[in-house]
Amino acid sequence: MKATELMDSLRRRFPNEPEYLQAVEEVVTSIEDVYNEYPAFERYNLIERLCMPDRVISFRVSWTDDQGRVRNNMGYRVQHNNAIGPYKGGIRFHSSVNLSILKFLAFEQTFKNSLTTLAMGGAKGGSDFSPRGKSDMEVMRFCQAFVNELWRNIGADTDVPAGDIGVGAREVGFMFGWYKKMAREFTGTFTGKGISFGGSLMRPEATGYGNVYFLLNMLATRGIAIEGKRVAVSGSGNVALYTADKLITLGAKVVSMSDSDGTVLLPEGMTREQWDRLFELKIAMRGRVSEFAEAEGLEYLPGERPWKHAACDIAMPSATQNEIDGDDARALLAQGCLAVSEGANMPSTPEAVREFLAARILYAPGKAANAGGVSVSGLEMAQNSQKLSWTAEEVDNRLRDIMADIHGQCVEYGRQPDGYVNYVKGANTAGFMKVAKAMMAQGIY
Ligand code: NDP
């Protein structure tokens, strides 16, 4: 396999899918050497089969708003690969959603799920519907119309969706309710469900906490303590809030949060009371970071991301893809940033990743660092199958073990001759090998 030839071919066939091509290029260039050590892979054209999704389902979603107007959105499910388990991956509701973004996310999810050590394939779905500014009833009608189209393609042993941007407990609840009605079964077809109907304790916390656990593992390799470290966090949704929560518990200083409108700076570090108020504002009232900044008398930077403004030792991007560009990366490095651990999926552009690797800082790509969310989703599936609920402590302990295991796999496959751990190479290679071997064993289908 020549990565450049493969990429040329994919660019010709999918010219309008930049995010998908970006994600594929990162993986194939980093696994090229190890792939070519196994001639059988090439005989089976394994890499091309692994880069292209097994199946893409797309559909129109029509629903009625509170004024009685009929609204139309597009809905998608990308079932990327189920070589090691049922398709598994979140649903994203955001105005920016398109096929390219969902194909990149489903591709990444396949490697991430492989790293978790649990039996889950990779998928992703979503719609260009934005829940922002919609009433609960509008969101419910949309979710029902979305699942009306999707339900025949998913199932507890087929494809198990979960949340992502714009899809939290409310949306999962509405989708699960309609799935249950259509399929006439109560099974673990969605994860991220409410606790009273099969959800797992610790699932809301899992991605943010898991990212901090991964960070702790990375810091330990250099004997660095988290206490007192200034951490710039972006976003203020599920992942960002629980990242901040765990950091505060561990004595780190959270020096920024953001949303798509701007950034709030907290140079002294966020207090536990401030976190409680931000959580209430974001989750219960669906408010904005600007309102938080105003209420707390903090500096607010409209239209800005944190990276050039929040003096920090560590960055934990937790909002969206491509939110750290080359300039942002250079700004972070110039102020002495020693680690970047990604809560979001592909938040760093290829140029930013090159900067981090060249500077030899601790850099964890999202497919390793944010795998805690899907890991606890996997644990939710296991609990649903057993019709049992595990304690928060039990789930948290398993989450810590899984993150340590993923870290170990990255070190094993990513250690360079000079001792530097390239977590990108490590995560991609470890995730790839497991899926590739399973695909080889199952023949061509
Ligand atoms: P939420 O919807 O809960 O929060 C998303 C946050 O990011 C919000 O603060 C949102 O701001 C901000 N944001 C979204 N889009 C943009 C944008 N285009 N520019 C700037 N800010 C933006 O989503 P999650 O916290 O669940 O997801 C965040 C990231 O983590 C995503 O990349 C997701 O794929 C990834 N992830 C999530 C997992 C999970 O378990 N939830 C698991 C693994 C990864 P606003 O309110 O203004 O839209």
Side-chain angles (χ1 to χ4, degrees), residues 92-94 96 104-105 109 112 124 130 132 162-168 203-204 206-208 234-241 258-262 282-283 287-289 305 317-321 323 342-347 366 369-374 377:
R92 178 177 291 194
F93 290 162
H94 192 269
S96 64
F104 117 64
L105 288 163
Q109 194 81 45
K112 180 190 309 189
K124 202 80 184 192
S130 169
R132 187 171 165 183
D164 190 72
I165 291 178
V167 178
R203 176 61 187 90
T207 310
S234 64
S236 49
N238 170 275
V239 178
L241 283 167
S258 69
D259 60 23
S260 49
D261 296 336
K282 295 297 296 186
I283 302 298
R288 312 298 301 162
V289 160
R305 300 183 291 226
S318 308
T320 193
Q321 65 274 358
E323 55 166 311
E342 296 182 342
N345 285 308
M346 205 170 73
N370 71 31
V374 73
S377 276

Side-chain angles (χ1 to χ4, degrees), residues 369-395:
N370 71 31
V374 73
S375 300
V376 173
S377 276
L379 301 181
E380 183 172 329
M381 288 163 71
Q383 293 170 77
N384 291 166
S385 301
Q386 294 177 314
K387 308 249 184 307
L388 288 174
S389 296
W390 302 341
T391 63
E393 193 186 5
E394 188 172 357
V395 178

Side-chain angles (χ1 to χ4, degrees), residues 305 307-308 324-334 349 351-352 355:
R305 300 183 291 226
W307 322 120
K308 290 178 184 154
I324 300 183
D325 62 19
D327 286 343
D328 294 323
R330 285 182 283 277
L332 284 168
L333 294 170
T349 65
E351 188 186 357
E355 293 285 349

Side-chain angles (χ1 to χ4, degrees), residues 22-38:
Q22 179 184 335
V24 172
E25 186 161 29
E26 187 220 86
V27 171
V28 297
T29 50
S30 71
I31 62 161
E32 188 172 8
D33 295 349
V34 67
Y35 182 90
N36 287 328
E37 287 170 18
Y38 297 83

